[in-house]
Amino acid sequence: MSLLHSFANAILMSVGPEVDEEIMVKLVIIVLIIQLTMSGVSPACGRAEYRIGQECCPMCGPGYYVRKHCTEFSSTACVPCLPPTYTDAPNGLASCKSCTVCDSSAGLRVKRTCSSTSDSLCEHLEGHYCTDPIKDGCRGAVEHSKCSPGQYVKQTGTVSTDTVCGDCVGDTYSNGSFTSCRPHTRCDLIGLVVLREGSSSYDSDCSQRQNTVANVAGIIAGVAVLAAACGAVAFIYNRRNRKRKAQQEKERSGHTYNRGTVTTETEPDTTAK
């Protein structure tokens, strides 16, 4: 190796100043190649190539992967990626990359379907916010928090932030979905009475005022009317029942009434001719 280095240096030293500049550049390149080869360092491959041993093989295009590497006598053999796999750039890969799965349990849904030349792109589900954002997409999301009864929505959740809740205080309430706490209803101001006092999570319950004396009088009057009606029905029923019995009794005795005179019916004489 030292002999080759000496030989290369001798070539450079022997070149006179009258040598053309282009020839000088070529000689320098030749010397560098000799030095790199003898030192075990191979020249770099091109931008569209990848190294296998001492060979610089052509890369496969996006959507393809290497089935067989190139040799001194043949080029790279490429085959297309099959679903659900892809390659998104020129490559020397021996297999395609697996497509990303947009998992609903991770709060994600598909924004862009995977193809042979591009990976899936996920986004957050409705009602979720992204906790692991990437360019134009998301790799993880969490459902927005829900405010509890007694709290109000102080700040609505966004695609990147959670819901912020606040507590109701004093004579106010919220069921958890209000954007502000609401004051309790004042039953006395609307001529009603309180059935249930309001709390931080529900409103007051109001009812009509009740007059006990009037209610009792109304009940008594109703009972009296009902009793009178029942008595009248019973009287009419008994009267009709007595008349019916009297009529039946008269029919049994064989008597009939004709203009106020009682007559007795006799059987016809069957002996007269």
Side-chain angles (χ1 to χ4, degrees), residues 139-201:
R139 288 185 296 197
V142 176
E143 186 176 5
H144 286 136
S145 298
K146 291 181 172 59
C147 297
S148 303
Q151 295 182 318
Y152 70 99
V153 180
K154 188 175 183 179
Q155 182 177 325
T156 304
T158 67
V159 297
S160 59
T161 61
D162 195 10
T163 303
V164 178
C165 303
D167 295 325
C168 293
V169 296
D171 294 330
T172 61
Y173 76 100
S174 171
N175 63 5
S177 65
F178 301 158
T179 55
S180 63
C181 296
R182 300 179 182 179
H184 290 143
T185 300
R186 290 284 303 275
C187 300
D188 57 324
L189 296 181
I190 55 177
L192 302 176
V193 294
V194 178
L195 285 182
R196 183 184 66 173
E197 294 287 349
S199 71
S200 62
S201 58

Side-chain angles (χ1 to χ4, degrees), residues 234-249:
F235 174 77
I236 294 171
Y237 175 79
N238 291 333
R239 184 177 180 182
R240 289 182 177 179
N241 193 36
R242 286 196 299 270
K243 287 183 178 181
R244 188 182 303 110
K245 288 182 178 180
Q247 184 67 27
Q248 291 174 351
E249 187 67 26

Side-chain angles (χ1 to χ4, degrees), residues 22-50:
E22 183 178 353
I23 296 175
M24 185 67 176
V25 171
K26 290 180 179 180
L27 288 174
V28 171
I29 292 174
I30 292 171
V31 171
L32 289 175
I33 291 174
I34 293 173
Q35 290 180 339
L36 289 172
T37 302
M38 297 310 299
S39 63
V41 178
S42 300
C45 295
R47 294 182 61 183
E49 296 177 327
Y50 67 98

Side-chain angles (χ1 to χ4, degrees), residues 22-166:
E22 183 178 353
I23 296 175
M24 185 67 176
V25 171
K26 290 180 179 180
L27 288 174
V28 171
I29 292 174
I30 292 171
V31 171
L32 289 175
I33 291 174
I34 293 173
Q35 290 180 339
L36 289 172
T37 302
M38 297 310 299
S39 63
V41 178
S42 300
C45 295
R47 294 182 61 183
E49 296 177 327
Y50 67 98
R51 178 171 295 283
I52 290 293
Q54 297 298 318
E55 296 292 335
C56 286
C57 294
M59 290 183 176
C60 295
Y64 291 81
Y65 71 99
V66 177
R67 182 176 182 182
K68 185 178 180 181
H69 299 298
C70 72
T71 66
E72 184 180 356
F73 307 103
S74 63
S75 184
T76 306
C78 302
V79 291
C81 296
L82 298 177
T85 62
Y86 75 100
T87 56
D88 55 359
N91 67 90
L93 299 175
S95 62
C96 297
K97 302 175 184 178
S98 296
C99 295
T100 298
V101 176
C102 300
D103 191 354
S104 59
S105 64
L108 300 174
R109 64 185 178 189
V110 176
K111 182 178 182 180
R112 184 185 67 205
T113 305
C114 185
S115 69
S116 63
T117 58
S118 63
D119 192 12
S120 308
L121 189 62
C122 306
E123 64 179 358
H124 61 85
L125 289 170
E126 189 72 25
H128 291 62
Y129 67 100
C130 186
T131 56
D132 188 8
I134 57 175
K135 183 181 179 181
D136 299 327
C138 181
R139 288 185 296 197
V142 176
E143 186 176 5
H144 286 136
S145 298
K146 291 181 172 59
C147 297
S148 303
Q151 295 182 318
Y152 70 99
V153 180
K154 188 175 183 179
Q155 182 177 325
T156 304
T158 67
V159 297
S160 59
T161 61
D162 195 10
T163 303
V164 178
C165 303

